[in-house]
Amino acid sequence: MATRPMSHIEQVCADKGMKMTEQRRIIAHVLSEAHDHPDVEEVHRRSAAEDPRISIATVYRTMRLFEEAGIVKRHEFGDGRARYEETPATHHDHLIDVRSGKVIEFHNEEIERIQQEIAQAHGYKLVGHRLELYVLPLDAGKATEE
Amino acid sequence: MATRPMSHIEQVCADKGMKMTEQRRIIAHVLSEAHDHPDVEEVHRRSAAEDPRISIATVYRTMRLFEEAGIVKRHEFGDGRARYEETPATHHDHLIDVRSGKVIEFHNEEIERIQQEIAQAHGYKLVGHRLELYVLPLDAGKATEE
DNA sequence: ATAAATGCAAACCCTTTGCGCTCAT
DNA sequence: ATGAGCGCAAAGGGTTTGCATTTAT
């Protein structure tokens, strides 16, 4: 109902000729605004805040749709549920503070290059990779497990 | 019953003073023999082949026990279930052929070093990482998705 | 008008767990 | 003997899905 400007993702969906329901519009907006890596429940929470007539099933279906369309990227940071971010223009990997759960993005050209080399050396073509660094604050050495 | 030689893992368990049931002995043996990355169901299948009186619940409990004791390493290669390998003496990462599911181990000192540097540059200490390369055979460029 | 999308609740998959029985120590 | 471990089946958490209803086109 609100005629707010089209979010980036909504624009992409429209360009792809997707049927744009109010639910999709809202989820697209939520994801476009997100600067973190929300899980489905969180996306649902934020979406429901904009319009309560939206079910978690729809969020699941839409995340899958968006993922398969390359609109969002799914991550599994080891906490059992999937986390999403809008497909980034520039590739990056993640550094996860295991104490706070905070996620920092980084990119390292050298690592990217070496990965390619490794794949090729084994007779393969690199089609994807996952690199996550699990870390603890330097100033908090001992108090935690693992 | 069979007085076969102690598997490596069984030895480690014994050294740690664990109560060694026949089930644990068998699971330890299965894992010690495995040269792949079996999931729980597969570990159960192989264990049950040695002795059918072993439940999947016990396998789950034992995998968790072994993992927490540092005896095995758990991996999540993106297919939804956990996969295990005996904790390797020398650290390595994985290269996964997305077509066949084949897993190849590799190690690259340069990447390891850069990871440390990245963590430190962000004010963190690296406590773990996950690096997986998803690949396709060089000679099979187009027939598959993703 | 009509096929696609939604909401609801049931089902699924992997994993964990409560409980009474069994077994290693 | 006795507490840890086991099997069973039920429960849990995240995710998917069948079906009747709603909605974008």
Side-chain angles (χ1 to χ4, degrees):
Chain A
M1 209 76 280
T3 314
R4 86 175 114 265
M6 246 191 209
S7 67
H8 175 240
I9 291 180
E10 183 180 349
Q11 184 64 61
V12 174
C13 291
D15 292 350
K16 293 191 183 231
M18 283 180 182
K19 189 172 173 179
M20 290 312 288
T21 61
E22 180 67 7
Q23 288 88 333
R24 283 190 187 165
R25 228 183 298 282
I26 288 174
I27 294 170
H29 176 242
V30 163
L31 292 170
S32 289
E33 293 294 290
H35 294 299
D36 50 354
H37 303 71
D39 59 25
V40 168
E41 201 178 321
E42 180 60 25
V43 173
H44 179 238
R45 193 174 298 122
R46 297 179 193 176
S47 301
E50 296 196 31
D51 185 336
R53 58 166 195 167
I54 183 169
S55 78
I56 191 125
T58 293
V59 179
Y60 272 108
R61 277 190 278 238
T62 304
M63 298 314 294
R64 171 184 272 263
L65 176 77
F66 284 180
E67 192 203 348
E68 287 173 352
I71 293 170
V72 302
K73 204 158 183 352
R74 190 214 319 249
H75 298 288
E76 290 161 38
F77 290 154
D79 53 2
R81 60 229 142 113
R83 298 174 161 279
Y84 295 88
E85 67 178 325
E86 180 171 358
T87 302
T90 60
H91 164 74
H92 60 246
D93 296 300
H94 299 92
L95 186 152
I96 298 109
D97 182 334
V98 299
R99 173 167 305 178
S100 68
K102 184 178 173 190
V103 176
I104 295 173
E105 302 172 350
F106 71 89
H107 177 82
N108 184 283
E109 206 46 69
E110 211 175 340
I111 288 184
E112 302 291 325
R113 175 180 53 73
I114 299 172
Q115 289 179 351
Q116 300 269 7
E117 291 171 4
I118 292 170
Q120 279 176 30
H122 285 271
Y124 289 100
K125 175 164 59 81
L126 190 63
V127 296
H129 76 259
R130 165 150 68 178
L131 173 57
E132 289 149 22
L133 305 185
Y134 296 92
V135 301
L136 279 175
L138 271 178
D139 52 45
K142 59 281 145 158
T144 323
E145 39 52 275
E146 159 61 313
Chain B
M1 207 84 274
T3 312
R4 86 174 115 264
M6 247 192 208
S7 67
H8 175 240
I9 291 180
E10 182 180 349
Q11 184 63 61
V12 174
C13 291
D15 291 351
K16 293 191 183 233
M18 285 180 182
K19 190 171 175 180
M20 290 314 285
T21 62
E22 180 67 6
Q23 289 89 332
R24 283 190 186 166
R25 228 182 298 281
I26 288 174
I27 294 171
H29 176 243
V30 163
L31 292 170
S32 289
E33 293 294 290
H35 295 298
D36 49 355
H37 302 72
D39 59 26
V40 169
E41 201 179 321
E42 180 61 25
V43 173
H44 179 238
R45 193 174 299 122
R46 296 179 193 176
S47 300
E50 295 195 33
D51 185 336
R53 58 164 197 172
I54 184 171
S55 78
I56 190 122
T58 293
V59 179
Y60 272 108
R61 276 190 277 239
T62 305
M63 296 316 293
R64 171 184 272 265
L65 176 78
F66 284 0
E67 192 202 348
E68 288 173 353
I71 294 170
V72 301
K73 204 158 182 352
R74 191 216 316 251
H75 298 288
E76 290 161 38
F77 290 153
D79 52 2
R81 60 231 142 112
R83 298 174 162 280
Y84 295 88
E85 68 178 325
E86 180 171 359
T87 301
T90 60
H91 164 73
H92 60 247
D93 296 300
H94 299 93
L95 185 152
I96 298 111
D97 182 334
V98 299
R99 174 166 304 179
S100 68
K102 184 177 172 190
V103 177
I104 295 173
E105 301 171 349
F106 71 89
H107 177 81
N108 184 283
E109 206 46 70
E110 212 176 341
I111 287 184
E112 302 290 325
R113 176 180 52 75
I114 298 172
Q115 289 179 352
Q116 300 268 8
E117 292 172 3
I118 291 171
Q120 279 177 29
H122 286 271
Y124 289 99
K125 175 164 58 83
L126 189 64
V127 297
H129 76 260
R130 165 151 68 178
L131 172 58
E132 290 149 22
L133 305 185
Y134 295 94
V135 300
L136 280 174
L138 271 178
D139 51 45
K142 58 286 146 148
T144 323
E145 37 54 277
E146 163 55 318

